[in-house]
Amino acid sequence: MENCSNALPFTEHFYADISSDVYSIVFLTLVCILAVVCILIFLEEVWYLRRVYSKDEVKLQRRVIMLGLYPVTVTTSLIILLVPRSTVLLDLVASCYLTICFYTFLSLIIDYFGGKYKMMELFEGTKIQLNTPPCCCCCCCVLKPVKMRRTPLRRLRYCSLQVAIIQPLLVFLAAVLWTDGKYDGGMTSASSNTYISILETISTLTSVYATMVIYRASRDHLKMYLLWMKFASFYTMFIVSNIQHLVFGILSNFNLPACVGTRGTKVRANALKHTLVVIEAFLLALLARKAYRRDETQIEGPVSAAEAGFSPFSVVTEQPMSTGDNSDTSCVANTSYSRYGADSGEILRSDNDNKGLGKNTNQTEVQHNSE
């Protein structure tokens, strides 16, 4: 095999080239250790969740799928490092699993609310901000706040889940072009990888934006479920897996990293990218472990206004203070505000008591005047 070749090497050429490269051997050993530890952590998490959610298979499956993202990513990247020519095939596998996690994460949020209908009850009349990253304040004139109804929620779900269709199709197209020698991983105007990477980035950012809007609207209601930690671990993994591909593709055009032996710039960039993915996935797996490995069966979810017996607006309850015998006026104190409050019947009784007190006060005033 010629020196500085950008073609993905066969295993016999690859291992013959790195046999004298101490740094490559050290990094491969480190990656193997991290992969084994990550898989063992995942197995322990599954064992724990099976005990907690033994009576609810749906909740168990959703959490196992989300936690499985990290060992799947680590395993595919490790195989790519050991067998470089499997890159396109295993990137397709990792991409497909990642898109499954998109649907699962949104289903998990809806499940925390108690279903779509309860979610809509809780958000009834609430305005959500659309000028969120990556469409920030520069689009505030176009992306104005909207009330959360079924139509906006449906559109946001479609924008978030489109990546589950577009991403695998683009990776499959890349695999077909690679078999015909038309996909070389370069980032030039004549390279098919350039256009595929642009479409992947647009699809990724659209999905990130839509899910970010739903997440920001839900995070205050679902604090008890550590939703921010679940979101951070999942979306960081998603961005790392996709954006790094574009970054290293651009760096390879500037001969970074430099070629070593038979491994050209693009081959080394591919290896460096997947080495970083393994390390990052391992660290994010630890964060996801803290977020998911907990008993959430006893946590009370958010309560809608209808379930609490109130309108979703603030309720003001007033209690009159006791006054002296010669007092003509009554003071009102102990005012308390509550979003949902107690039972609505208690409020009606409190109102009737206040009305009765007002009648008694008026009668006392009439008697004083007659005297």
Side-chain angles (χ1 to χ4, degrees), residues 309-310 315-317 340-354:
F310 279 94
V315 176
V316 181
T317 60
Y340 300 117
D343 186 74
S344 57
E346 295 180 2
I347 293 182
L348 295 176
R349 289 195 295 271
S350 178
D351 291 340
N352 293 332
D353 293 341
N354 291 335

XYZ file of all heavy atoms in Angstrom, residues 309-310 315-317 340-354:
149
model
N -58.764 20.931 40.368
C -60.059 21.522 40.637
C -60.100 23.021 40.499
O -61.022 23.671 40.989
N -59.090 23.614 39.815
C -58.994 25.058 39.678
C -58.768 25.425 38.231
O -58.375 24.605 37.424
C -57.813 25.626 40.479
C -58.126 25.793 41.927
C -57.805 24.795 42.810
C -58.728 26.936 42.383
C -58.087 24.942 44.138
C -59.002 27.085 43.719
C -58.686 26.082 44.602
N -55.022 31.777 42.585
C -56.217 31.849 43.420
C -55.870 32.652 44.650
O -54.845 32.408 45.282
C -56.689 30.436 43.832
C -57.866 30.542 44.774
C -57.052 29.655 42.594
N -56.725 33.605 45.018
C -56.491 34.442 46.190
C -57.512 34.082 47.239
O -58.713 34.116 46.986
C -56.607 35.937 45.840
C -56.326 36.793 47.060
C -55.667 36.271 44.708
N -57.071 33.697 48.395
C -57.965 33.395 49.513
C -57.720 34.416 50.591
O -56.577 34.743 50.909
C -57.699 31.977 50.049
O -56.350 31.914 50.484
C -57.938 30.934 48.969
N -52.654 26.007 42.224
C -53.713 25.016 42.143
C -54.590 25.018 43.389
O -55.771 24.758 43.335
C -53.121 23.623 41.944
C -52.316 23.495 40.700
C -50.964 23.215 40.750
C -52.897 23.693 39.456
C -50.211 23.115 39.600
C -52.151 23.600 38.305
C -50.821 23.314 38.381
O -50.075 23.207 37.239
N -53.982 25.284 44.552
C -54.741 25.419 45.776
C -55.335 24.131 46.265
O -54.918 23.042 45.909
N -56.341 24.252 47.109
C -57.007 23.090 47.670
C -58.246 22.780 46.867
O -58.358 23.140 45.717
C -57.349 23.377 49.126
N -59.195 22.142 47.508
C -60.401 21.753 46.796
C -61.260 22.981 46.508
O -61.336 23.904 47.321
C -61.186 20.743 47.642
C -62.369 20.210 46.880
O -62.162 19.392 45.963
O -63.487 20.625 47.203
N -61.933 22.973 45.352
C -62.704 24.143 44.972
C -63.878 24.370 45.908
O -64.349 25.478 46.070
C -63.211 23.983 43.532
O -63.974 22.808 43.414
N -64.392 23.288 46.522
C -65.492 23.433 47.456
C -65.125 24.271 48.641
O -65.946 25.010 49.189
N -63.864 24.176 49.077
C -63.417 24.973 50.206
C -63.432 26.459 49.865
O -63.707 27.292 50.720
C -62.022 24.542 50.625
C -61.994 23.116 51.145
C -60.600 22.712 51.561
O -59.705 23.562 51.469
O -60.432 21.560 51.972
N -63.114 26.783 48.635
C -63.135 28.188 48.226
C -64.555 28.732 48.242
O -64.815 29.837 48.701
C -62.536 28.350 46.834
C -61.069 28.037 46.889
C -62.735 29.757 46.320
C -60.415 28.209 45.584
N -65.510 27.912 47.757
C -66.893 28.352 47.752
C -67.392 28.571 49.169
O -68.085 29.537 49.464
C -67.764 27.332 47.014
C -67.474 27.167 45.517
C -68.346 26.063 44.942
C -67.706 28.472 44.783
N -67.032 27.646 50.060
C -67.438 27.800 51.446
C -66.814 29.052 52.050
O -67.432 29.780 52.822
C -67.050 26.559 52.248
C -67.893 25.325 51.905
C -67.715 24.244 52.957
N -66.346 23.755 52.970
C -65.923 22.750 52.213
N -66.757 22.166 51.379
N -64.668 22.341 52.279
N -65.533 29.300 51.710
C -64.871 30.496 52.221
C -65.541 31.765 51.720
O -65.721 32.734 52.468
C -63.401 30.489 51.811
O -62.767 31.651 52.250
N -65.968 31.759 50.457
C -66.658 32.918 49.905
C -67.993 33.144 50.597
O -68.384 34.275 50.905
C -66.878 32.742 48.402
C -65.567 32.803 47.642
O -64.596 33.345 48.207
O -65.523 32.331 46.488
N -68.733 32.032 50.846
C -70.020 32.165 51.517
C -69.851 32.700 52.927
O -70.654 33.486 53.414
C -70.727 30.808 51.549
C -71.142 30.345 50.157
O -71.386 31.186 49.282
N -71.232 29.039 49.943
N -68.804 32.233 53.617
C -68.544 32.734 54.964
C -68.266 34.230 54.938
O -68.726 34.975 55.810
C -67.361 31.994 55.580
C -67.696 30.524 55.833
O -68.907 30.204 55.871
O -66.744 29.716 55.976
N -67.477 34.665 53.946
C -67.183 36.095 53.844
C -68.442 36.907 53.566
O -68.621 38.008 54.080
C -66.154 36.351 52.752
C -64.807 35.798 53.148
O -64.514 35.653 54.319
N -63.983 35.501 52.153
